[in-house]
Amino acid sequence: MATESFITELDKVFEEAKGKKPEELLFTYKGVLYPTTVCDAETLQALNTLEVRKDDVFLVVYPKCGTNWARQILNDLVSAASKNKLEVSPVEREQMLEFRVPEKFQKIKNLPSPRIFITHLHYDNIPKAVFEAKVKVLVVFRNPKDAAVSYYHFYNKNPSLPSFTSWDEFFQKFMSGEVCWSSYFDHALAWNEHMDEENIMIITYEEMKENLRGEVKQIADFLGFSLSEEMIQTIAENATFQSMSNKSQETHGKFAPVLFRKGDVGDWKNLFTEAQSQEVDAKFEECLAGTKLGTKLKYDKYCKY
Ligand SMILES: Nc1ncnc2c1ncn2[C@@H]1O[C@H](COP(=O)(O)OS(=O)(=O)O)[C@@H](OP(=O)(O)O)[C@H]1O
């Protein structure tokens, strides 16, 4: 039932987008682009009034870096850790933080604990109360080249976003940060400053690809969940790209082929020119090389030929 209503919401977004002209699909709030089909200025402004609970869990991911992947893992972990105590399904305890939802703040107040908030917002735009209350924040990053390619395909497949006529055109927008939720590099720089805080855990898409079971276990430990090895294994098996994309029609309806594309590391090599690759290398060198997050991204392994 809960999944059905989630799919109904996604379908509505598709329908609403079809009736809009390209220039009506985006708006800017405090210098950042957002899609009009799911966000509005009123909701973004009202986020500052969010009443945070100590046991809330936040999942923060720059677009296309593994939001839906980590979302499923989190939901499964919460579900497993709360088994027998759960009266509602995981989907009924989660909320996309910045999305416009009817009666949003009333709905949020009524969500049972532990609530899961998912967001693409920049660190600075996440309500301060989240950090003051020291709730658990899981952050997922992905190498910038694959994130850019995934974002390009998403723009072109998703009716809620304007299409680009070429990869080259999108690449320039990605590099200048003129994409929804703004610059990848600004997001990474901001999180790099907070990597050592005990309530924050940063993982990468590539680490999840390398050792999914190990990452699921680390997330469980971070959340303070003590689960059997078998349970961790089952959650990891259900979170492979194969397994999630096989079920995606059920879980995401029409949005499935838009969200579950390739799920690979290194797809950037199919689109990047040598010059574009060097441009990202230079940007990475300028802002992230030698930083803790920069090192965690294993740039040389995943972003060099
Ligand atoms: N289980 C699993 N394993 C590996 N990869 C996965 C998985 N689930 C989703 N994906 C890939 O993640 C990309 C979508 O990222 P997001 O979920 O962050 O997209 S969104 O910002 O919420 O629209 C998108 O990447 P690309 O395939 O490169 O486009 C998805 O295919």
Side-chain angles (χ1 to χ4, degrees):
M1 185 59 195
T3 305
E4 271 168 37
S5 63
F6 177 67
I7 292 176
T8 312
E9 286 303 316
L10 290 178
D11 285 355
K12 268 197 229 150
V13 170
F14 256 67
E15 285 314 308
E16 192 187 327
K18 277 193 210 151
K20 288 189 186 262
K21 299 190 186 106
E23 62 273 21
E24 293 169 341
L25 291 172
L26 303 179
F27 72 102
T28 304
Y29 179 77
K30 295 193 174 169
V32 178
L33 281 173
Y34 296 97
T36 53
T37 48
V38 287
C39 296
D40 62 18
E42 210 184 337
T43 308
L44 288 165
Q45 184 158 22
L47 287 181
N48 289 324
T49 62
L50 183 77
E51 285 171 25
V52 175
R53 293 183 201 152
K54 193 83 193 83
D55 60 358
D56 286 338
V57 179
F58 277 72
L59 170 64
V60 188
V61 193
Y62 183 78
K64 313 322 294 174
C65 290
T67 322
N68 287 277
W69 192 5
R71 168 182 173 252
Q72 170 167 316
I73 293 170
L74 264 187
N75 275 334
D76 283 357
L77 285 170
V78 167
S79 198
S82 339
K83 71 174 175 312
N84 305 330
K85 285 182 274 163
L86 275 190
E87 285 139 31
V88 295
S89 74
V91 175
E92 287 171 277
R93 61 181 62 244
E94 69 169 18
Q95 179 65 59
M96 194 72 197
L97 184 64
E98 63 270 35
F99 280 14
R100 179 186 57 224
V101 174
E103 312 289 328
K104 182 180 176 98
F105 291 93
Q106 196 52 45
K107 184 186 166 204
I108 285 176
K109 269 194 188 144
N110 294 338
L111 288 177
S113 290
R115 300 179 301 187
I116 298 174
F117 290 99
I118 303 156
T119 181
H120 295 312
L121 289 177
H122 185 282
Y123 179 91
D124 292 343
N125 297 327
I126 294 172
K128 299 286 165 286
V130 174
F131 305 111
E132 285 158 10
K134 296 202 182 306
V135 302
K136 296 275 165 78
V137 181
L138 174 67
V139 185
V140 186
F141 266 98
R142 185 180 191 179
N143 81 69
K145 293 183 180 176
D146 281 334
V149 168
S150 180
Y151 216 170
Y152 167 63
H153 290 293
F154 189 67
Y155 257 84
N156 280 356
K157 283 183 172 183
N158 183 350
S160 302
L161 297 174
S163 295
F164 280 88
T165 48
S166 70
W167 155 248
D168 291 353
E169 193 197 344
F170 178 82
F171 175 77
Q172 285 316 325
K173 294 281 184 199
F174 182 84
M175 292 307 285
S176 60
E178 292 167 86
V179 289
C180 289
W181 284 276
S182 76
S183 158
Y184 169 97
F185 297 97
D186 287 350
H187 280 242
L189 270 170
W191 279 110
N192 183 57
E193 297 298 314
H194 299 278
M195 278 191 75
D196 293 330
E197 292 167 23
E198 62 175 314
N199 52 315
I200 292 172
M201 182 164 94
I202 302 192
I203 60 171
T204 68
Y205 183 101
E206 292 74 18
E207 285 170 334
M208 292 205 284
K209 284 296 271 191
E210 280 170 18
N211 178 7
L212 186 51
R213 202 186 154 287
E215 292 304 306
V216 172
K217 171 87 177 99
Q218 274 205 46
I219 300 169
D221 291 347
F222 169 66
L223 296 175
F225 296 162
S226 165
L227 296 173
S228 68
E229 290 302 313
E230 290 75 21
M231 185 56 81
I232 297 286
Q233 181 67 28
T234 304
I235 292 173
E237 278 166 14
N238 290 339
T240 61
F241 182 75
Q242 193 67 47
S243 169
M244 284 185 67
S245 55
N246 284 347
K247 289 197 203 110
S248 62
Q249 206 62 46
E250 269 165 60
T251 55
H252 291 77
K254 281 186 197 157
F255 218 56
V258 176
L259 271 179
F260 298 90
R261 195 184 60 92
K262 276 194 172 175
D264 278 347
V265 176
D267 193 35
W268 63 270
K269 290 177 188 155
N270 295 317
L271 272 185
F272 270 70
T273 63
E274 185 76 41
Q276 287 165 342
S277 179
Q278 283 170 9
E279 196 176 327
V280 180
D281 294 351
K283 180 82 178 171
F284 187 87
E285 193 59 38
E286 174 200 318
C287 59
L288 283 165
T291 65
K292 230 176 156 180
L293 180 54
T295 307
K296 194 167 178 61
L297 284 167
K298 299 188 191 154
Y299 192 83
D300 284 354
K301 178 168 179 189
Y302 293 115
C303 287
K304 297 276 174 78
Y305 287 103

